[in-house]
Amino acid sequence: MGRTAGRSPQDTRRALLDAAADVVRARGIHAPLDDIARFAGVSKGGLIYHFASKDDLILELARDQLAAFQAGIDAALDPTDTAPGRLTRAYLRASVAPAGDDAAVRASMALVTQLMTLPAVAELARADAERLAAALAADGLPADVLALVVAAADGMSSAPLWGAPTHTPAHRRLLERLLHLTRHPHLWETLTP
Amino acid sequence: MGRTAGRSPQDTRRALLDAAADVVRARGIHAPLDDIARFAGVSKGGLIYHFASKDDLILELARDQLAAFQAGIDAALDPTDTAPGRLTRAYLRASVAPAGDDAAVRASMALVTQLMTLPAVAELARADAERLAAALAADGLPADVLALVVAAADGMSSAPLWGAPTHTPAHRRLLERLLHLTRHPHLWETLTP
DNA sequence: CGAACTGTACCGGCTGGTCGGTACAGTTCC
DNA sequence: GGAACTGTACCGACCAGCCGGTACAGTTCG
């Protein structure tokens, strides 16, 4: 049996990556390849045809997720915004995510922690984080304000990992105020002890 | 060969939990029992003598870590501090951790994400997080300020997970200002857009 | 003696990866 | 035009190794 339905190999590859994301998120990194393949409507043999090994699949998946996050930041970049801190604002918006994509970002966080168990993925993520940190540092905001905003963004997006509720009214207000703060960074100085 | 050194069974139990923490952190949840036992200077049989099953060991380890974090908060509670927000301040200090224990907290974060792959542990952590959230909510701070401080604390403590540098001067100043903010929560209102 | 182990042997289940097929869409060549 | 061939995309059975758990006989120390 060859190509069963009108599905291109590229579609199958994509389906396998999506299935891997779902299954790994739900059952952990050690989910059997068979289950992932089945979930994508393919046999294990079919999976191996597209990805030489499990590590290969997982690494590809990690690259995919990292790229998706970066794409989220890019999409959150306001083209009319040319003031210092524009990238930081995009990072903030992408991390917290507008209500619609809210679940997706949360899920992607849980997934990434699973993927990180593979040393190769950890290294990949580290390099990516470093790159992002450098870009943010060059965004024109005072280091203190940047540290606050990034910490708060990371905290809001990682909170659901521990099962905390997210996207409460307080969180929405917090997002607004942080965005405001990046536009008037001097305000933070008034909080000096 | 029975009791090799002058080590009490309680010490052996502790050594096993510590070994499990180290090995699981380094090699993941699926590290063989044999390796954990060996690392604690005990045979696999000896491990099974203390912990009926692997799940038993992992669950005990999770409880241990959760208790350690709570102990960290308790230790960070300033007995002379009776103002609103005292628990939040302790949470903040415990999350970021004084320089000495810095590596320990980071490590404990990485470990917990490993343990969370076990559903029973995830449930345990969720319940614990809920309990903590409730205690923080009753700490007497405005919800907005609490949300900011908790998010920033979570962000600072989870950042090393993605490999970002921690404990920079900016971070230290951030900690100070957040502590200051919990003592003068009205200051945050001045940042309203 | 009994608690606290050690060491070995073994079972059973799971899982990653291999491998020999198979279906079929094109392409080539007469 | 059609027979022969090729490459792609997959299937499904199988195997080898690992790992958790069990069983048990022996050993050492308080």
Side-chain angles (χ1 to χ4, degrees):
Chain A
M1 316 145 201
R3 211 173 300 172
T4 31
R7 187 159 78 170
S8 82
Q10 279 310 311
D11 287 350
T12 302
R13 223 186 123 84
R14 189 96 287 280
L16 280 166
L17 284 171
D18 291 344
D22 282 346
V23 174
V24 167
R25 180 162 47 239
R27 318 240 307 260
I29 259 292
H30 287 264
L33 286 184
D34 214 27
D35 290 11
I36 296 172
R38 235 44 96 88
F39 199 85
V42 171
S43 75
K44 192 168 88 167
L47 188 156
I48 290 298
Y49 177 80
H50 286 282
F51 302 94
S53 69
K54 186 170 189 178
D55 281 15
D56 188 27
L57 170 66
I58 298 299
L59 245 138
E60 212 62 36
L61 179 55
R63 269 192 266 269
D64 198 59
Q65 291 300 118
L66 256 25
F69 183 58
Q70 182 60 51
I73 296 176
D74 292 344
L77 266 174
D78 180 355
T80 71
D81 181 1
T82 57
R86 62 191 294 265
L87 179 61
T88 305
R89 281 184 285 281
Y91 179 79
L92 189 47
R93 281 190 223 102
S95 292
V96 179
D101 250 346
D102 157 295
V105 170
R106 237 178 309 170
S108 133
M109 278 284 161
L111 174 58
V112 170
T113 62
Q114 285 290 328
L115 301 182
M116 297 275 279
T117 59
L118 213 81
V121 173
E123 176 52 27
L124 212 75
R126 207 199 47 72
D128 205 63
E130 202 170 289
R131 189 186 52 74
L132 230 170
L136 286 170
D139 196 32
L141 290 182
D144 286 2
V145 172
L146 181 65
L148 167 71
V149 173
V150 168
D154 289 352
M156 277 191 279
S157 62
S158 73
L161 273 182
W162 329 113
T166 187
H167 227 269
T168 66
H171 278 134
R172 238 164 307 149
R173 277 196 299 275
L174 178 52
L175 173 60
E176 283 313 312
R177 285 194 197 178
L178 289 171
L179 286 172
H180 185 246
L181 187 59
T182 63
R183 291 211 176 80
H184 309 281
H186 61 92
L187 285 174
W188 186 238
E189 299 305 321
T190 66
L191 297 190
T192 315
Chain B
M1 310 140 197
R3 211 171 303 173
T4 31
R7 186 159 79 169
S8 82
Q10 279 310 312
D11 287 351
T12 300
R13 224 186 120 86
R14 190 93 285 281
L16 280 167
L17 285 171
D18 291 344
D22 281 346
V23 175
V24 167
R25 179 161 47 240
R27 317 240 309 258
I29 244 325
H30 287 264
L33 285 183
D34 216 25
D35 289 12
I36 296 173
R38 234 43 96 87
F39 199 83
V42 172
S43 73
K44 182 175 142 183
L47 188 157
I48 291 297
Y49 180 82
H50 286 281
F51 301 95
S53 69
K54 187 171 187 177
D55 281 13
D56 188 26
L57 170 66
I58 298 299
L59 245 138
E60 211 63 37
L61 179 55
R63 270 193 265 270
D64 198 58
Q65 291 299 119
L66 256 25
F69 183 58
Q70 182 60 51
I73 296 176
D74 292 345
L77 267 173
D78 179 356
T80 71
D81 180 0
T82 56
R86 62 190 295 264
L87 180 59
T88 306
R89 281 185 283 283
Y91 179 78
L92 189 48
R93 279 191 224 100
S95 292
V96 180
D101 250 345
D102 156 293
V105 170
R106 238 178 309 172
S108 135
M109 280 283 160
L111 175 57
V112 170
T113 62
Q114 284 290 326
L115 300 182
M116 296 275 278
T117 60
L118 214 81
V121 173
E123 176 51 29
L124 211 76
R126 207 199 47 73
D128 205 63
E130 204 171 289
R131 189 186 51 74
L132 230 169
L136 286 170
D139 197 31
L141 289 183
D144 286 2
V145 172
L146 181 63
L148 167 71
V149 173
V150 169
D154 289 352
M156 277 193 279
S157 63
S158 72
L161 272 182
W162 328 115
T166 188
H167 228 270
T168 65
H171 279 132
R172 236 165 307 150
R173 278 197 300 273
L174 178 53
L175 174 60
E176 282 314 311
R177 283 190 198 179
L178 288 171
L179 286 171
H180 184 247
L181 187 60
T182 64
R183 290 213 176 78
H184 309 282
H186 60 92
L187 285 174
W188 186 238
E189 301 303 323
T190 66
L191 295 192
T192 317

